[in-house]
C-alpha cells in the first residue's frame, strides 16, 4: 500500500508535536515542590525472581516508583513459584 506524501507529512508533524509537547505540567494534588507525589507512607513490595531479567525489571521498576511516583519500594527475593501465594495474600 502506497502512502501519499501528504499523509506522511501529517504523520511526521503529529509525531513531532507529540514528542515536543510539555507533559510535565504540575497539576497539584498531593505533589511535593519537586513534582514528585508524596507517597512515602506507602510501601510497595516487588517480587524478584532468581533470574537476571527479573532482577533488572524489578530494579528499573523500583527506581521509577521511588523517583517519579514517590513510593517506598522493597525488593523481595522469592522463588517464582512461591510468589503466587504471596501475591494472592497481598504480601507482595
Amino acid at each position: 500500500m502506497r502512502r501519499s506524501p501528504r499523509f506522511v507529512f501529517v504523520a511526521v508533524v503529529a509525531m513531532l508535536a507529540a514528542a515536543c509537547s510539555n507533559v510535565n505540567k504540575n497539576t497539584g494534588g498531593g505533589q511535593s515542590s519537586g513534582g514528585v507525589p508524596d507517597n512515602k507512607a506507602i510501601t510497595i513490595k516487588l517480587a524478584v525472581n532468581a533470574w537476571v531479567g527479573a532482577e533488572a525489571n524489578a530494579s528499573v521498576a523500583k527506581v521509577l516508583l521511588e523517583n517519579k511516583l514517590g513510593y517506598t519500594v522493597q525488593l523481595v527475593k522469592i522463588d517464582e513459584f512461591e510468589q503466587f501465594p504471596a501475591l494472592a495474600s497481598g504480601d507482595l
Side-chain angles (χ1 to χ4, degrees):
M1 178 193 309
R2 245 184 109 170
R3 303 273 184 211
S4 71
R6 203 173 315 167
F7 174 80
V8 173
F9 176 75
V10 170
V12 169
V13 169
M15 285 189 285
L16 285 173
C20 295
S21 66
N22 183 6
V23 294
N24 292 325
K25 292 180 182 174
N26 189 355
T27 59
Q31 291 196 354
S32 67
S33 61
V36 177
D38 185 18
N39 293 318
K40 289 182 181 177
I42 300 171
T43 299
I44 298 175
K45 294 181 182 180
L46 291 178
V48 181
N49 300 132
W51 49 283
V52 177
E55 292 176 16
N57 289 339
S59 296
V60 169
K62 180 180 193 274
V63 168
L64 292 173
L65 287 166
E66 288 179 342
N67 295 342
K68 298 295 182 183
L69 298 176
Y71 291 104
T72 301
V73 178
Q74 179 183 358
L75 297 179
V76 179
K77 292 192 179 225
I78 189 167
D79 181 71
E80 61 190 66
F81 297 108
E82 294 173 4
Q83 77 182 353
F84 295 108
L87 288 168
S89 68
D91 292 335
L92 286 177

